[in-house]
Amino acid sequence: IAILIFGCAEVMMGFTLSGERDAFTSFGNYTSFWQGTLFLVCGSLSIYTELRPSKKMVTVCLSMYVVSLLGIIVSFGYRIRLFSYLTQENSMHLLVGLLTGSDATCRLQAVRCLHELSHSPHTSVASACLPASPYLLTYLSGQSTKFTELCLYTLGNLCPDSVVKEKLLAQGIVPALASCLENQRHNLAVVEAVGFTLSQLLQANDAAEKIIPMVLASSLPSHLLSVLTPDPKFGLAPAIECTWCIHYLTCSMKDHRVLLAQGALLQCSSLLVSLGGAVAEGNKEEAGAVNLSSAEVRGEPALLLSTQMGDVRIVVALCALLQAFLHTQPALARESAWVLNNLTAHSRALCSALLTLNLVPGLIQLLQLLPFNWLHRGTRDILRVLANIAHNKKDFCVQLAHRGLLSALCATLKMADQEMVTLSMDVLFMLVVSSPQVAEEFVKQGGLSLLEATQYNNEGEIRQRATHLLEHHLLS
């Protein structure tokens, strides 16, 4: 009889929960109905077996007891999980209530809790914090610096989650960030936080289609570019975050005209020049933003425009960075070599500046000092820079030879990297053809035996070039 009462209670509770369509209850998998049915069947069989006992009915009754017991275990586990979820949901509602309350201290503590939660590696945390996102966006227009910072960093930590990102975009996070940056542009701590949040958004896989058009249509690009002048008191942090944003924008865009029209190239180049100057004076603490600034001039349209500007200070800065961070930050040095190669490929003025400012000997010396792991890109880019100089003018070739490039080529021709050997042959050809005196100097340095050995190279193209140099320009 007790089991029958439990079964009726479960079924009645199921009908009650069926009306709670919007709540997350056990009605989701009809727990009350099937649990109640099991209890009713068990109770009925127990009464029937008591009235008409038999071995067969006892077996059936015990079997139903076992099934009911398993059902109790399953339903109990499911309801415990529901209870945990409801507790978490109620906690988030309580936190949101504190966040939207009138007590400023409670609001600050609530946003601190949300900020700590946003650091959690658990994937469910971001979705759990969704109810707070509209209020976090609203508070970006507040007056408290610390409160606004925490809101921004919380939003930035939640952005990588795709569901949260879609919700934030729909709720207007881009206009909110633009308004916040415009109103707080003199507050560098808030500016840094805006840069962090926006950079998190721009790293999304669909940023080029969904986010970047919204960013370009707002006032964000112009404000970001205005921050690229480091503040001597506050440091480089805001400039670094904003440069990351510009970097992600340029990497995801095919047409850079909007950024170029707003002076992106001028700002990034100026920052790069100032950082290069600081490094040249021995201040390497500025290195944090150098790689970011280098990334800004990687787009081809920007590179072409930079050659039209003719600002020779940028090559001075790149050479300073290249030499200063060769061993401590090789990735940064390789990036500088890559940018320098692209700049000199389009500008005779910059090639001439490398010679006039006596920067070439430092580049030539690097060819002989670079570590092995540079062979994949760094050394090639430096050699391409020297090839760009040689390609512009015969007189440049003579100057390169006088500055010691021939001995460096003798070293690179012995390398195992086939691309380096091919590139060295191209540069050597330009030098030898430019002047008979250069050819004679190469012969004096043992170049004939080196080229003769190169004729046995595995690559047919390299063998042909070596043979051509020997037969038409050296032995003759």
Side-chain angles (χ1 to χ4, degrees), residues 225-276:
L225 291 169
S226 66
V227 184
L228 296 190
T229 303
D231 185 272
K233 295 181 180 179
F234 195 82
L236 284 173
I240 290 175
E241 293 295 348
C242 292
T243 311
W244 270 119
C245 295
I246 300 297
H247 168 68
Y248 292 129
L249 283 172
T250 54
C251 288
S252 302
M253 295 167 57
K254 294 182 179 179
D255 188 353
H256 299 82
R257 285 179 294 181
V258 175
L259 289 176
L260 291 174
Q262 297 186 21
L265 179 66
L266 180 61
Q267 288 286 349
C268 294
S269 300
S270 299
L271 177 59
L272 187 63
V273 168
S274 63
L275 293 171

Side-chain angles (χ1 to χ4, degrees), residues 366-387:
L366 289 178
L367 287 178
Q368 301 168 318
L369 297 179
L370 288 175
F372 177 77
N373 58 1
W374 264 71
L375 293 180
H376 297 291
R377 201 181 94 179
T379 312
R380 294 173 189 168
D381 285 330
I382 291 179
L383 191 53
R384 287 191 183 104
V385 172
L386 298 171

Side-chain angles (χ1 to χ4, degrees), residues 152-153 155-161 165 168-169 173-174 177-178 181 190-208 211-212 215 220 224 237-252 292 296:
L152 286 165
Y153 283 119
L155 289 168
N157 292 334
L158 297 176
C159 279
D161 185 275
K165 181 199 67 181
L168 289 175
L169 289 174
I173 185 172
V174 174
L177 291 176
L181 189 57
V190 175
V191 170
E192 180 184 353
V194 171
F196 169 77
T197 305
L198 182 59
S199 67
Q200 296 298 308
L201 268 180
L202 293 174
Q203 292 180 67
N205 294 330
D206 55 354
I211 302 174
I212 289 181
V215 172
L220 280 170
L224 290 172
I240 290 175
E241 293 295 348
C242 292
T243 311
W244 270 119
C245 295
I246 300 297
H247 168 68
Y248 292 129
L249 283 172
T250 54
C251 288
S252 302
L292 310 179
E296 300 310 323

Side-chain angles (χ1 to χ4, degrees), residues 72 160 218 239 260 296 336 368 450:
I72 291 173
S218 68
L260 291 174
E296 300 310 323
S336 302
Q368 301 168 318
L450 187 59

